[in-house]
């Protein structure tokens, strides 16, 4: 079947999919002319090779989790939607973590497509409404959408009720972050972890994750008036040398004052 380019949301509506558990990404790919195969791949996470209206998506099944494999399929489908007929993409792990939103870059655009397909705003937003911006919420939503913790957390920051940022730190400092739409552009997360944060303890002292905490905002935010305010922090270790942190404001007025 020949299918022209369409948004993930249009595709979901066209297929009558309105519940997360019905997002069968392999079936959706097939509907778009792309067959999915699984096997161990060397040096890449997924690839797509296509000609005319048919394509084959191959996903690495040696070690990556099912949520990540689903995201890979969505990512390749994103390439396919744009480059139908002349597609050949080999995508590495780093491509699959390229930050969404930089829509000029093909890898970011493909990730955005995957996110829109697997965590569609019209399904995600009502389920995230009013929930605290914590990894407990992320876990609940990730279970429902069968998506990875990181992808789900990015979506929560984008579409959740409260202003928030998601930040990844390694031993060397800040690696990347995602700022929610209600957080002003002037607000930046610290480049280096403050030793009073839970994230610091989790990363450097090997402490177990603790429950979300209210902390002084100046430990987190680079702003001259930050010391007068507080934020909520929730941090989890994601590998031996990295921690992922959610920072959020329960009281939006504080952010407006800043
Ligand atoms: Zn790619």
């Amino acid at each position: 079947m020949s299918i022209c380019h369409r948004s993930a949301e249009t595709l979901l509506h066209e297929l009558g999919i309105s519940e997360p558990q019905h997002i069968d990404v392999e079936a959706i790919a097939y509907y778009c002319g792309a067959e999915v195969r699984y096997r161990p791949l060397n040096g890449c996470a997924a690839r797509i090779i296509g000609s005319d209206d048919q394509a084959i998506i191959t996903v690495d099944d040696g070690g990556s989790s099912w949520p990540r494999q689903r995201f890979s399929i969505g990512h390749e489908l994103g390439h396919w939607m744009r480059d139908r007929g002349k597609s050949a993409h080999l995508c590495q792990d780093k491509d699959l973590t390229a930050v969404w939103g930089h829509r000029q870059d093909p890898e970011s655009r493909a990730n955005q497509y995957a996110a829109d397909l697997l965590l569609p705003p019209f399904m995600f937003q009502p389920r995230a409404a009013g929930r605290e911006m914590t990894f407990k919420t992320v876990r609940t939503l990730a279970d429902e959408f069968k998506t990875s913790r990181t992808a789900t957390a990015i979506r929560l920051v984008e579409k959740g009720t409260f202003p928030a940022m998601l930040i990844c730190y390694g031993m060397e400092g800040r690696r990347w972050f995602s700022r929610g739409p209600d957080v002003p552009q002037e607000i930046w997360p610290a480049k280096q972890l403050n030793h009073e944060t839970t994230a610091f303890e989790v990363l450097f002292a090997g402490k177990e994750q603790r429950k979300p905490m209210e902390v002084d905002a100046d430990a987190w935010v680079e702003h001259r008036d930050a010391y007068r305010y507080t934020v909520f922090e929730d941090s989890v270790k994601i590998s031996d040398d990295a921690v992922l942190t959610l920072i959020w404001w329960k009281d939006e007025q504080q952010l407006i004052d800043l």
Side-chain angles (χ1 to χ4, degrees):
M1 180 190 306
S2 172
I3 284 187
C4 57
H5 178 275
R6 63 200 65 186
S7 72
E9 188 173 332
T10 306
L11 197 53
L12 290 167
H13 286 315
E14 190 174 305
L15 290 165
I17 299 169
S18 58
E19 298 290 329
Q21 68 270 27
H22 296 149
I23 305 175
D24 179 343
V25 68
E26 197 180 317
I28 295 170
Y30 192 77
Y31 175 75
C32 298
E35 189 189 321
V36 179
R37 294 175 184 174
Y38 302 87
R39 66 182 186 81
L41 292 174
N42 263 337
C44 74
R47 70 174 183 218
I48 184 163
I49 294 171
S51 67
D52 299 329
D53 281 324
Q54 297 296 316
I56 291 173
I57 293 171
T58 310
V59 182
D60 180 42
D61 65 355
S64 52
S65 65
W66 176 231
R68 290 194 60 176
Q69 291 177 27
R70 291 181 78 234
F71 197 86
S72 295
I73 297 168
H75 175 102
E76 299 307 331
L77 207 52
H79 284 312
W80 180 235
M81 281 294 171
R82 280 216 157 240
D83 300 334
R84 179 169 307 270
K86 55 180 165 66
S87 247
H89 288 276
L90 300 178
C91 305
Q92 299 172 352
D93 278 336
K94 69 171 168 50
D95 299 326
L96 289 152
T97 52
V99 181
W100 317 340
H102 301 282
R103 288 177 180 258
Q104 311 84 313
D105 167 43
E107 298 307 327
S108 301
R109 217 161 38 205
N111 284 340
Q112 186 72 52
Y113 200 90
D116 289 345
L117 191 65
L118 300 178
L119 295 158
F122 77 93
M123 293 183 206
F124 189 87
Q125 214 151 3
R127 287 170 171 81
R131 291 187 189 229
E132 297 195 328
M133 310 292 272
T134 62
F135 285 105
K136 188 176 172 210
T137 298
V138 169
R139 214 160 29 240
T140 305
L141 293 166
D143 281 350
E144 191 170 7
F145 285 86
K146 299 192 176 48
T147 43
S148 74
R149 178 168 51 192
T150 302
T152 312
I154 293 174
R155 193 51 122 193
L156 182 64
V157 163
E158 285 179 343
K159 302 291 178 190
T161 298
F162 301 99
M165 293 194 288
L166 178 72
I167 318 147
C168 179
Y169 287 93
M171 300 287 182
E172 72 289 356
R174 193 180 71 209
R175 287 186 184 167
W176 57 265
F177 74 99
S178 173
R179 188 195 278 119
D182 297 329
V183 179
Q185 301 284 321
E186 300 82 62
I187 305 245
W188 287 76
K191 284 203 182 84
Q192 297 292 333
L193 274 177
N194 184 302
H195 65 276
E196 285 173 9
T197 60
T198 302
F200 184 94
E201 291 181 355
V202 168
L203 184 61
F204 291 101
K207 290 254 173 77
E208 287 292 304
Q209 180 198 348
R210 296 194 304 202
K211 55 182 198 242
M213 305 245 292
E214 187 169 10
V215 294
D216 289 339
D218 61 352
W220 276 108
V221 175
E222 291 170 357
H223 189 286
R224 64 191 151 78
D225 293 328
Y227 69 93
R228 294 201 264 150
Y229 300 98
T230 56
V231 293
F232 286 86
E233 172 193 352
D234 193 12
S235 293
V236 287
K237 197 163 189 168
I238 54 168
S239 68
D240 283 346
D241 65 348
V243 63
L244 199 58
T245 295
L246 276 164
I247 292 296
W248 61 288
W249 286 262
K250 213 176 236 175
D251 175 8
E252 198 167 350
Q253 189 57 43
Q254 286 208 357
L255 200 54
I256 294 166
D257 293 346
L258 270 179

